[in-house]
Each structure stands twice: as C-alpha cells, then as structure tokens.
Amino acid sequence: RNFDAMIWLRKYHFILMLFLANEFHAQDIHFSQFMHNPLHQNPGNTGMFDGDYRFNFAFRDQWRSVSIPYNTVLLSADRAMIYKNLSVGVVFVHDVAGDGRFRTIDLQPIVSLNFNLDDEHKHRVRPGVQLGLNYRELRSDQFSWDSQFGGHIYDPSLPTNENFQRETKGNFTVNSGIVYEWFDGTRRNVNFGAALFNINRQNQGFFGEEIPRSRRLMLHGRGQFAINDKWDVLPAFSFNAQGTHREFLTGSEMRYIMKESRGEYIALYIGLFSRIVDAAFVNIGMDYQNWFFGLNYDWNYSKLVPASRIRGGIELTAQYIFRSFKPKRNIHRICPVYL
C-alpha cells in the first residue's frame, strides 16, 4: 500500500504541484519581514531613511517540508535626495519555486519625491513610481510525466511526449505607491502607506492564452514609540489583496537599546507576528552601527498542515545605511586693522 501510494504521488506530482502553485503561489512574491524590506513593500519608501545610501538583502526558504523548497533572494538599493527632493532606487528579485524550478526575475528601478507638509518637517508625504522588467521561466524537463512510468517503475530517461512551444515569458511592470510619515523626535514616528502593483496587468500566460496578472493592493503601517530610555515598541501591519487572495499580517517588535554613546550604537529586536489564518512567526534582530540583521521563522497553521507539518520557512534580512561625513563649515571673520 505504501509502495502504491508513492507511485501515485510521483505519477500525479505535476498536477499536485500545479494545484499548490495555483492555491498558494499565484500571488506576487512576498516576505514576512515586510517592515525590513521597504522598497519591496512600497515605491514610496524610497529615500525614507536617515542617511545617503541604503542597501537591503533578504533571503527566504519556504515549503521545504512540502516539496522542493521555494527560494527567494532580494537585493535593493536607494539614494536619498539625489537632487533636491528626488530619491532613486532599484529592486532585484530572484525566485525559484518547486519541482519545475519555476523561475521569476524582477528588475525594477524606482523614483520618489519627498514633500514636507509643515515648516518643522514633522509631516511628510512621499509618492513613488516603480517601472521594470519581469522574466519568468518554466522547466518542463524537471517534472515527472505519465509516459515515464512503465508499470510500477519510474524511468526518467523515457520521453515525456510533451511539447511546450514556450517556456519563457517577459513582461513590463508598472507599480506606484505613496507613504505618509509623522516624525516627532528620533524615537517617535508613525507612517502609513498604500501601493498598487501590476497596474498594467501584464500577460503571464505561457501557452498563447491571455492571462492578465491581477493587480495587487497593499496597505501598511508602522509606528515607533519610546517606552523609556532603553525600550521601544514598534507595532506594524500589512494587508495585501490580489484577485481572490487576501493576506493580513500584524504584530509588533520590541527594541532594547544596549548602547548609544560616542558614535557607537547597538540595539536588539524581538517580535511576534501573525499572518492571519495562515502562519505565525517570531523574529529577532540587531542594530550594530549602520547595520541591521534580522532572522525569522514561520510556523504554518493553515489547511496545509498535513503536508507542511506546521513548518513554513526561514527568512534572513540585512540592511546597511551609508552616511557620508559632512564636516562642519567654519566661517572665518577677519577683523579690520583699525579695531
């Protein structure tokens, strides 16, 4: 019985993976540490940091207990106020999913503008536009097909008898967003944002059919509030709606400032978040000078539990902010000789 079950699973694995892809991965690529991936979250976040240059890295390994894991790598960089109130950035994403090694590559430059709504610069609005290229690739030779099963034996050397006319697809993507920030001191601020992705609804069909990609609406917010000299609370939420899919993440981090003196800064983070009706995750992090490092692990509690066995995925995040040295300008006054 176990042998027959294994044969059935291998025989219909391709259909099963298509079902899983349709059910769980038809959405845009997403991360659990949304609060530490600002450019991926909203184009309006471009340039919204204290410094000159910001570099982000994220890696996510998911569904290892269900199938061949989904691996996602993100790299992003932005330059604040490159000219007056103009900031620029770029996002690169590489994602490989499942047995078919379904590959997605995004390269998306961003521009944003900063508008101060008051003279004290406590209220700011930052709209942004993201344009870019999307490349997707399907590897049909990585699947198992019915014609490769002879009786009870699977032979990958047998022909698949399948003919895919096209296994790659390129698209042009248009996204936009806006972020509002209230800033009152170094440890009190709140921001809210809204973004719309896939505005042009690019065609994602591989086999001649027209399949427009659904637009995705994102709403998000984050706050930072000092409790005392050492502790901050940082609540955050993120809501995504794309087609029939809905994703709502909410939770909070706590930050403990270990050292902040003489140009040395060290702080620790711990947080608990929930992706409603899907998963929960704990994240830990650390600020060290201009660096941030974050780690989280998702525990799945959705209907996929029989396959996932509660396990979800691990995610790593790193950020570096470069601040150029700006020496104080001394103005020398020459006293007249008659004084």
Side-chain angles (χ1 to χ4, degrees):
R1 287 179 180 267
N2 292 338
F3 182 71
D4 291 342
M6 288 300 297
I7 292 176
W8 182 92
L9 182 62
R10 291 188 63 88
K11 186 172 183 179
Y12 295 101
H13 189 250
F14 175 60
I15 298 174
L16 178 63
M17 288 309 302
L18 285 180
F19 168 77
L20 290 175
N22 180 64
E23 186 71 17
F24 300 105
H25 207 67
Q27 303 151 300
D28 286 351
I29 294 167
H30 58 246
F31 291 91
S32 291
Q33 292 188 58
F34 59 92
M35 56 286 187
H36 299 304
N37 285 295
L39 270 64
H40 182 262
Q41 181 185 57
N42 189 326
N45 283 327
T46 304
M48 197 171 74
F49 62 98
D50 179 20
D52 297 298
Y53 296 90
R54 176 174 57 182
F55 303 92
N56 273 78
F57 165 81
F59 171 76
R60 182 172 178 83
D61 182 278
Q62 187 176 7
W63 302 129
R64 184 170 291 273
S65 61
V66 178
S67 66
I68 291 179
Y70 294 22
N71 293 324
T72 308
V73 175
L74 177 143
L75 299 170
S76 68
D78 54 333
R79 171 69 163 95
M81 306 302 182
I82 191 171
Y83 177 75
K84 294 184 178 180
N85 64 340
L86 175 68
S87 298
V88 297
V90 63
V91 177
F92 172 81
V93 178
H94 180 269
D95 179 77
V96 180
D99 281 9
R101 313 304 293 167
F102 185 75
R103 187 183 310 274
T104 300
I105 299 175
D106 286 319
L107 181 63
Q108 301 173 345
I110 312 170
V111 294
S112 72
L113 295 171
N114 179 76
F115 297 100
N116 294 307
L117 303 182
D118 64 329
D119 294 336
E120 296 180 350
H121 297 183
K122 288 186 177 182
H123 300 271
R124 309 168 186 173
V125 172
R126 190 183 299 271
V129 177
Q130 185 178 46
L131 307 174
L133 300 176
N134 172 269
Y135 171 83
R136 307 174 81 199
E137 178 186 67
L138 177 68
R139 292 284 305 277
S140 61
D141 62 322
Q142 298 296 308
F143 292 115
S144 302
W145 302 92
D146 184 74
S147 60
Q148 295 175 312
F149 288 86
H152 292 292
I153 300 175
Y154 168 69
D155 185 356
S157 65
L158 293 175
T160 66
N161 296 330
E162 302 291 336
N163 182 24
F164 289 86
Q165 297 179 354
R166 186 173 190 175
E167 297 189 3
T168 62
K169 182 72 176 178
N171 283 305
F172 177 72
T173 306
V174 181
N175 310 316
S176 68
I178 187 169
V179 177
Y180 162 78
E181 181 184 32
W182 170 76
F183 182 86
D184 184 17
T186 57
R187 294 172 59 195
R188 281 212 310 166
N189 64 79
V190 175
N191 67 70
F192 296 98
L196 187 62
F197 296 84
N198 310 315
I199 295 175
N200 57 324
R201 298 206 64 193
Q202 61 271 28
N203 177 28
Q204 60 179 0
F206 275 87
F207 311 121
E209 71 275 36
E210 188 78 18
I211 306 177
R213 191 157 186 82
S214 298
R215 295 187 179 98
R216 175 167 62 93
L217 172 66
M218 167 174 267
L219 304 175
H220 62 89
R222 192 186 189 202
Q224 177 182 341
F225 306 98
I227 300 175
N228 53 42
D229 292 341
K230 293 291 186 180
W231 287 94
D232 294 339
V233 58
L234 299 95
F237 77 90
S238 173
F239 173 77
N240 281 280
Q242 183 176 17
T244 59
H245 300 280
R246 299 293 183 269
E247 180 190 69
F248 182 53
L249 290 92
T250 183
S252 181
E253 293 178 301
M254 296 290 293
R255 176 168 59 193
Y256 174 69
I257 300 174
M258 297 181 62
K259 190 170 185 178
E260 188 177 19
S261 62
R262 297 181 181 179
E264 188 173 5
Y265 179 70
I266 303 174
L268 300 177
Y269 294 74
I270 185 168
L272 176 63
F273 288 81
S274 174
R275 185 181 292 109
I276 305 301
V277 305
D278 181 61
F281 67 90
V282 174
N283 71 292
I284 57 175
M286 178 180 183
D287 284 326
Y288 180 75
Q289 302 296 77
N290 296 337
W291 285 93
F292 169 80
F293 302 96
L295 169 67
N296 76 271
Y297 188 84
D298 292 14
W299 285 276
N300 172 257
Y301 57 78
S302 71
K303 295 179 180 179
L304 193 62
V305 165
S308 70
R309 290 173 289 177
I310 306 179
R311 291 180 290 178
I314 191 170
E315 187 174 307
L316 306 171
T317 302
Q319 181 183 97
Y320 178 76
I321 295 178
F322 173 78
R323 298 177 178 89
S324 59
F325 176 70
K326 298 176 182 178
K328 183 178 179 180
R329 184 180 178 185
N330 296 318
I331 300 176
H332 300 280
R333 300 182 182 276
I334 301 175
C335 296
V337 294
Y338 53 80
L339 291 182

